[in-house]
Amino acid sequence: MLDNVGSFCVCKIKDVRNGSGNTIMQILIYNKHHIDVNLESRDGMLGGPPAYDFSGDRPFIESFEETPMLVAVLTYMGYGILTIFGYLRDFLRDWKIERCHVAREREEQRDFVPLYQDFENFYTRNLYMRIRDSWNRPICSVPGAKVDLVERVSPDYNWTFDYTGKVVEGVINMGSYNYLGFAENTGYCADASAEVTMKYGVGVASTRQEMGNLDRHEEMEELVAKFLGVESAMAFGMGFATNSMNIPALTGKGCLILSDELNHASLVLGARLSGSTIRVFKHNNMQSLEKMLRDAIVHGQPRTHRPWKKILILVEGIYSMEGSIVRLPEVIALKKRYRAYLYLDEAHSIGALGPGGRGVVDYFGLDPRDVDVMMGTFTKSFGAAGGYIGGRKELLEYLRSHSHSAVYAASMSPPVVEQIIASMKCIMGEDGTTLGRDRVQQLAENTLYFRRRLTEMGFIIYGNNDSPVVPMMLYMPAKIGAFGREMLKRNIGVVVVGFPATPIIESRARFCISAAHTKDMLDTVTIPPCLAQNGYLFHTKDIKRAQLMFLMRHLRSVCLVNAAHATMLTTTILFSLCFLL
């Protein structure tokens, strides 16, 4: 039992084993008071779909199952074989036996400073290119619950693509961040945006400080502040720039930034651009964070040991690659204890968590004033574009004159602003309907249902039970492309992710649940048994049998598409048989 870190939160960690003996780390946090729960008899989770409970006493459960040893070894083997044959193909390219499709230094430039980094090009041309067809698929419809894709083929193994002119219709969309289903071309929000477009046009052609500050911008920021429960708010045209351009305005030399190890690239870039000292703590690990806070206060700055000018903690509401929710009550408790500042990125949690859709602060029932800087984006739950920062009025006035994103960036497009206003009013119930509340409820129910379905089938999924981001582990490089292709054949669009976006042995498929998804869609998406039987995925209890089937049937997606294919396939199967048997 961990120590109580605040009057509002008590934590308990249990080490639970599943049916195959693999360890699952499950973290329980209870608001208000502690209730002991037997994790292995969660009938409400593993039985019929329960109505979502928005009370403050729901358990906070996160699971991260360790990669099975056999899978880890085979994954490293796969990457090792790819690397070996990558060097072989580079040798053939150097001798002009095989054509090189990527940019390289010319012979007369050999003595110059290299323009292209060789290893990055190596990964691109020898590993990424094999499964490049799994990404950048062009969509020709609204990114709603279903989408239409432009069909494309590659005559040269994914180096280039040709469009056939055909459209793949009705693909179930499990990749967009359309959590509340507001990315649509009909309805209240679309009508409001169309009306504003006719009045204001599409572009503003100026910055906010010059001739680009519209009355709709002012109304939007007042509404955002009201929605968040803060004194003031400010909007920006790009979510990534909201982090990368505003963090340097808040901290600088002589300041310390404590960043979660799984923070988004925009937070990492903003921290680096600030010139502050950066220290990284383990993901959602309060012991690691507290140790760094204590050391920072005791020892001060390096060499001089002067006190830090500021200590800023950077965390996210929902971590988009892990499906994890920040342990915000404990972070706030530590922030108050050591008098640091807290920067909360709610890009994925705003609109998607909490009884009112107000994000992770609402989810835990906390006071928004306890968070110094509340950041979020409009690109996901609101179906629009851009980002915002909310907080005290003095903070926002400072950013209006010191943030590069505020001073130099063009103003947000009027129809985008109107989409934000309309969708936010809908969530708050100010449109006179319960549509927004119903969508928040539906998203929560869909999330629990889909996660339960995958768990019952034996697949390894990461993250929090209430997170609409659902990572399902694939592990091996061949599965990344194979899974994406096979799902598309079944009219299901998914996002697959591998190294370097994830650790090398933790490749995954990432599902994003939406309130627009129906139960029939989720039942269709839930992985058909034939995929598991064919070896693309496997139940943990059948790992060896399924893994062997996978190696024997589908290693062609890893192998070379040339004369060395047969040798590669035979060698790999022999190595794998020796290891398995």
Side-chain angles (χ1 to χ4, degrees), residues 105 109-116:
E105 309 291 344
Q109 295 176 309
R110 291 293 183 181
D111 295 331
F112 292 4
V113 176
L115 180 63
Y116 308 106

Side-chain angles (χ1 to χ4, degrees), residues 5-289:
V5 296
S7 60
F8 46 79
C9 177
V10 178
C11 301
K12 188 170 185 179
I13 298 180
K14 290 188 177 182
D15 185 12
V16 182
R17 295 183 180 272
N18 62 8
S20 62
N22 293 313
T23 300
I24 305 176
M25 180 61 72
Q26 299 200 339
I27 304 171
L28 277 73
I29 299 179
Y30 300 96
N31 298 331
K32 299 181 182 177
H33 54 83
H34 172 67
I35 306 173
D36 197 5
V37 174
N38 182 0
L39 293 180
E40 297 184 12
S41 61
R42 292 180 289 129
D43 297 331
M45 292 296 214
L46 303 180
Y52 187 77
D53 178 16
F54 278 127
S55 69
D57 300 323
R58 289 192 72 254
F60 177 95
I61 302 173
E62 292 193 345
S63 61
F64 300 93
E65 184 167 344
E66 295 178 0
T67 304
M69 180 60 70
L70 174 60
V71 177
V73 171
L74 292 175
T75 301
Y76 281 121
M77 285 178 58
Y79 278 105
I81 292 170
L82 283 169
T83 302
I84 292 171
F85 277 87
Y87 281 113
L88 174 61
R89 296 188 73 174
D90 278 352
F91 175 79
L92 297 177
R93 293 183 184 115
D94 287 339
W95 284 87
K96 311 300 181 183
I97 299 174
E98 181 177 337
R99 181 183 175 187
C100 182
H101 296 267
V102 297
R104 304 186 73 178
E105 309 291 344
R106 296 196 301 269
E107 287 297 329
E108 58 268 26
Q109 295 176 309
R110 291 293 183 181
D111 295 331
F112 292 4
V113 176
L115 180 63
Y116 308 106
Q117 296 187 28
D118 186 63
F119 180 75
E120 290 183 2
N121 281 341
F122 177 86
Y123 184 87
T124 300
R125 63 182 174 262
N126 293 306
L127 283 80
Y128 167 75
M129 202 58 62
R130 303 178 189 280
I131 53 177
R132 185 178 167 220
D133 58 305
S134 300
W135 294 282
N136 303 323
R137 292 169 178 158
I139 297 173
C140 56
S141 69
V142 173
K146 290 187 176 182
V147 295
D148 297 336
L149 300 181
V150 178
E151 186 179 73
R152 61 180 182 175
V153 295
S154 177
D156 50 7
Y157 310 113
N158 296 336
W159 288 104
T160 61
F161 291 99
D162 295 331
Y163 298 100
T164 64
K166 298 179 181 179
V167 175
V168 183
E169 298 181 348
V171 177
I172 298 177
N173 182 9
M174 298 300 295
S176 296
Y177 304 131
N178 186 24
Y179 296 130
L180 295 181
F182 283 116
E184 52 195 0
N185 57 2
T186 59
Y188 170 69
C189 297
D191 293 342
S193 297
E195 183 179 344
V196 165
T197 302
M198 296 303 295
K199 180 178 179 181
Y200 291 89
V202 176
V204 180
S206 182
T207 66
R208 292 284 298 278
Q209 291 193 355
E210 295 171 344
M211 296 296 292
N213 191 29
L214 304 179
D215 57 342
R216 308 307 293 168
H217 292 129
E218 298 288 344
E219 180 181 346
M220 174 187 62
E221 291 177 344
E222 291 177 4
L223 187 64
V224 171
K226 180 180 178 182
F227 181 70
L228 298 175
V230 295
E231 294 180 8
S232 183
M234 184 178 180
F236 304 87
M238 181 181 178
F240 191 98
T242 305
N243 279 332
S244 60
M245 293 289 99
N246 283 291
I247 293 176
L250 295 174
T251 65
K253 188 177 180 180
C255 299
L256 174 65
I257 292 178
L258 301 180
S259 178
D260 190 291
E261 66 179 346
L262 297 182
N263 275 343
H264 190 261
S266 60
L267 291 169
V268 175
L269 178 60
R272 289 175 177 173
L273 290 176
S274 70
S276 304
T277 301
I278 305 170
R279 292 175 184 167
V280 179
F281 62 91
K282 295 179 181 179
H283 173 59
N284 253 353
N285 189 313
M286 297 303 107
Q287 288 79 15
S288 175
L289 175 58

Side-chain angles (χ1 to χ4, degrees), residues 183-461:
E184 52 195 0
N185 57 2
T186 59
Y188 170 69
C189 297
D191 293 342
S193 297
E195 183 179 344
V196 165
T197 302
M198 296 303 295
K199 180 178 179 181
Y200 291 89
V202 176
V204 180
S206 182
T207 66
R208 292 284 298 278
Q209 291 193 355
E210 295 171 344
M211 296 296 292
N213 191 29
L214 304 179
D215 57 342
R216 308 307 293 168
H217 292 129
E218 298 288 344
E219 180 181 346
M220 174 187 62
E221 291 177 344
E222 291 177 4
L223 187 64
V224 171
K226 180 180 178 182
F227 181 70
L228 298 175
V230 295
E231 294 180 8
S232 183
M234 184 178 180
F236 304 87
M238 181 181 178
F240 191 98
T242 305
N243 279 332
S244 60
M245 293 289 99
N246 283 291
I247 293 176
L250 295 174
T251 65
K253 188 177 180 180
C255 299
L256 174 65
I257 292 178
L258 301 180
S259 178
D260 190 291
E261 66 179 346
L262 297 182
N263 275 343
H264 190 261
S266 60
L267 291 169
V268 175
L269 178 60
R272 289 175 177 173
L273 290 176
S274 70
S276 304
T277 301
I278 305 170
R279 292 175 184 167
V280 179
F281 62 91
K282 295 179 181 179
H283 173 59
N284 253 353
N285 189 313
M286 297 303 107
Q287 288 79 15
S288 175
L289 175 58
E290 184 170 17
K291 183 180 185 302
M292 288 187 178
L293 284 168
R294 188 186 300 115
D295 290 345
I297 292 174
V298 171
H299 300 294
Q301 299 183 41
R303 294 190 301 274
T304 64
H305 299 292
R306 293 177 181 174
W308 295 100
K309 296 179 181 178
K310 296 176 191 173
I311 299 178
L312 181 66
I313 303 171
L314 297 184
V315 294
E316 294 186 49
I318 293 179
Y319 291 83
S320 59
M321 206 58 70
E322 304 293 326
S324 175
I325 297 177
V326 65
R327 296 164 64 177
L328 190 60
E330 296 174 79
V331 175
I332 290 178
L334 292 176
K335 168 242 175 186
K336 289 182 176 180
R337 180 182 300 173
Y338 294 97
R339 301 192 177 185
Y341 294 97
L342 176 60
Y343 187 109
L344 174 63
D345 179 347
E346 290 212 82
H348 288 268
S349 56
I350 193 67
L353 286 180
R358 289 175 167 84
V360 69
V361 175
D362 188 27
Y363 175 78
F364 285 107
L366 304 174
D367 189 344
R369 292 174 295 183
D370 289 335
V371 180
D372 300 289
V373 185
M374 298 184 68
M375 178 271 171
T377 62
F378 303 118
T379 57
K380 300 167 178 67
S381 295
F382 304 98
Y388 67 82
I389 283 182
R392 298 183 61 184
K393 187 175 181 180
E394 295 82 359
L395 169 69
L396 273 301
E397 290 300 323
Y398 173 83
L399 288 177
R400 290 183 198 279
S401 57
H402 288 80
S403 168
H404 286 80
S405 186
V407 176
Y408 299 106
S411 300
M412 294 178 68
S413 175
V416 173
V417 172
E418 192 62 27
Q419 168 73 19
I420 297 168
I421 293 174
S423 58
M424 194 167 289
K425 284 184 176 179
C426 190
I427 298 172
M428 297 170 68
E430 293 188 4
D431 63 336
T433 69
T434 61
L435 178 62
R437 169 78 184 200
D438 293 342
R439 291 193 181 193
V440 173
Q441 175 88 18
Q442 187 62 50
L443 173 63
E445 293 178 0
N446 285 352
T447 298
L448 287 177
Y449 179 76
F450 189 76
R451 281 182 169 272
R452 189 184 76 244
R453 288 275 295 179
L454 292 182
T455 302
E456 287 174 345
M457 296 184 71
F459 299 119
I460 300 174
I461 60 174

